[in-house]
Amino acid sequence: MPDSSPPAYFSIRNTLLKQSDQLAGVPEPDRAAVLATALDAVPVAAGFLRPYSTLFAEGDSSASRLAFSCLSAAATFPDAARDEVAELGTLTAILFGLDDIADNIAGSWSPDDVLAIFGRLSSALRGHGTDPGDEGPLGEALRAWRDWWTRLGADPEVAVYAPALAEQLDLAGAAMARERAWSEGGEPWPDYDTYVDNGTQTILYRTWWVAGLGVRGPRPAHDRHWRAVVSATHLGAACMRLANDIRTFERERSEGKPNSVLILERAGTDTRAAVDRVAAHIAELNGRFLNALAELPPELAAIAEGQRRSVAFNGAWYLARDTHAYTVRELAGDVGAHGG
């Protein structure tokens, strides 16, 4: 059985991809400001997560996603204020922690457990389960989520999206439970299309963007804004899922976890050809994604641009490296290298 402890998990590397520029998805004129804003946001986000250090590693740990999470938020919304970047970066880190729980990297959980965990997250948005009594990584994840929503949900403009956010959490929980069953052998692996459709939820991009709409969307907020962007967001999520798969298929091979590249391998495609096929699918999806963004109403132009930037940034990053092991010290070095 593979060792799924965090040090072993994070040491598995994909050696097939050539090293590329991790900041290629950030337009050159924006890089200095994006990096500086991310670095400014890190201490704020670190303060939010510090009480939960079992699940959320300190910023210079090889298992930390703190610097990456703030950088991703800043790259998505380069004109956002520091505190907005910190809150969205904190959300990103929390979602990474939940993904580690669902993947049995932080604890051991059955598919039914995973479904129940995400149900508790969505219940918190509906005013239930405000005092989780759990210990360990699960308790930390639930408390971090509760704290995040207590801060953000106090804004009526954000609270408008609570029902949509709860719905996305329920859908994500069902998809992650299904993926856990596939990984454990409780259900046979899916075909490629079924896997990708499920993966648009497990990547948690859709969940993140409900919150992103609340923080950076038009005012006054209205749930019609989410309904307008959901189709484009689904395409962006598919791009992100597949880009992540290209980065992580070696690690997921060791876990016995389905992945688009590995599903194609099982169907008889060699590894290089499988990666090329997934990359071609990303390009096709990205074209549809950009077209869908272009059709959004003018009031959602900033959200459309944020989604475009988010997929560009994360897609380029996945080609270059993993999301963990980018430390706050490295982020500070990148700020200095770009004139900060």
Side-chain angles (χ1 to χ4, degrees):
M1 183 174 181
D3 182 357
S4 62
S5 64
Y9 179 79
F10 290 130
S11 69
I12 300 171
R13 297 285 188 268
N14 180 346
T15 57
L16 185 64
L17 296 179
K18 294 181 179 179
Q19 190 74 12
S20 58
D21 182 1
Q22 65 200 31
L23 296 175
V26 181
E28 180 67 38
D30 297 339
R31 289 184 190 175
V34 163
L35 288 162
T37 299
L39 186 61
D40 285 347
V42 161
V44 182
F48 294 148
L49 295 172
R50 190 166 291 118
Y52 311 115
S53 58
T54 300
L55 184 60
F56 305 107
E58 294 291 335
D60 281 320
S61 164
S62 63
S64 176
R65 277 95 160 218
L66 178 63
F68 172 82
S69 295
C70 289
L71 179 56
S72 179
T76 298
F77 293 120
D79 58 344
R82 180 200 65 174
D83 287 352
E84 292 175 322
V85 170
E87 288 289 11
L88 291 171
T90 299
L91 172 61
T92 305
I94 292 170
L95 295 179
F96 273 128
L98 290 166
D99 187 59
D100 286 347
I101 288 171
D103 282 344
N104 279 0
I105 304 307
S108 181
W109 313 97
S110 71
D112 287 344
D113 292 332
V114 172
L115 187 62
I117 289 165
F118 277 79
R120 293 175 69 180
L121 297 171
S122 63
S123 291
L125 300 177
R126 301 180 176 107
H128 308 297
T130 57
D131 186 21
D134 307 79
E135 300 299 329
L138 175 57
E140 292 195 348
L142 293 171
R143 290 183 184 88
W145 175 257
R146 176 202 60 194
D147 293 351
W148 179 84
W149 181 248
T150 297
R151 292 191 304 272
L152 272 289
D155 181 347
E157 300 283 4
V158 178
V160 164
Y161 297 106
L165 186 53
E167 179 186 31
Q168 289 304 310
L169 286 166
D170 288 339
L171 291 169
M176 287 186 155
R178 194 174 299 117
E179 190 174 82
R180 181 104 301 276
W182 292 334
S183 299
E184 292 180 351
E187 294 182 13
W189 274 25
D191 61 28
Y192 180 90
D193 290 337
T194 301
Y195 167 81
V196 174
D197 186 62
N198 196 72
T200 64
Q201 291 292 345
T202 62
I203 197 67
L204 295 172
Y205 179 86
R206 291 167 58 129
T207 303
W208 193 96
W209 268 101
V210 180
L213 188 58
V215 174
R216 294 288 299 172
R219 299 292 186 261
H222 197 283
D223 60 3
R224 72 171 182 274
H225 297 142
W226 172 245
R227 294 196 301 270
V229 302
V230 69
S231 294
T233 306
H234 180 84
L235 291 167
C239 293
M240 293 272 281
R241 172 75 277 158
L242 294 176
N244 176 274
D245 280 6
I246 290 176
R247 169 52 54 188
T248 62
F249 72 84
E250 292 288 8
R251 180 183 306 141
E252 290 172 339
R253 189 197 307 279
S254 77
E255 296 177 289
K257 181 179 176 182
N259 170 300
S260 57
V261 174
L262 303 180
I263 288 169
L264 293 174
E265 280 188 348
R266 283 196 174 193
T269 306
D270 69 59
T271 302
R272 179 74 262 177
V275 169
D276 289 345
R277 179 171 164 184
V278 173
H281 192 193
I282 294 171
E284 184 262 325
L285 287 166
N286 192 64
R288 291 167 55 196
F289 172 62
L290 295 177
N291 289 338
L293 293 178
E295 293 173 359
L296 292 177
E299 65 180 340
L300 291 168
I303 295 300
E305 178 63 6
Q307 289 220 25
R308 185 194 67 77
R309 285 176 175 267
S310 179
V311 169
F313 167 76
N314 284 281
W317 189 278
Y318 284 135
L319 289 177
R321 62 184 297 172
D322 284 305
T323 55
H324 60 269
Y326 180 65
T327 64
V328 174
R329 187 177 296 109
E330 285 182 84
L331 173 57
D334 283 341
V335 170
H338 287 78

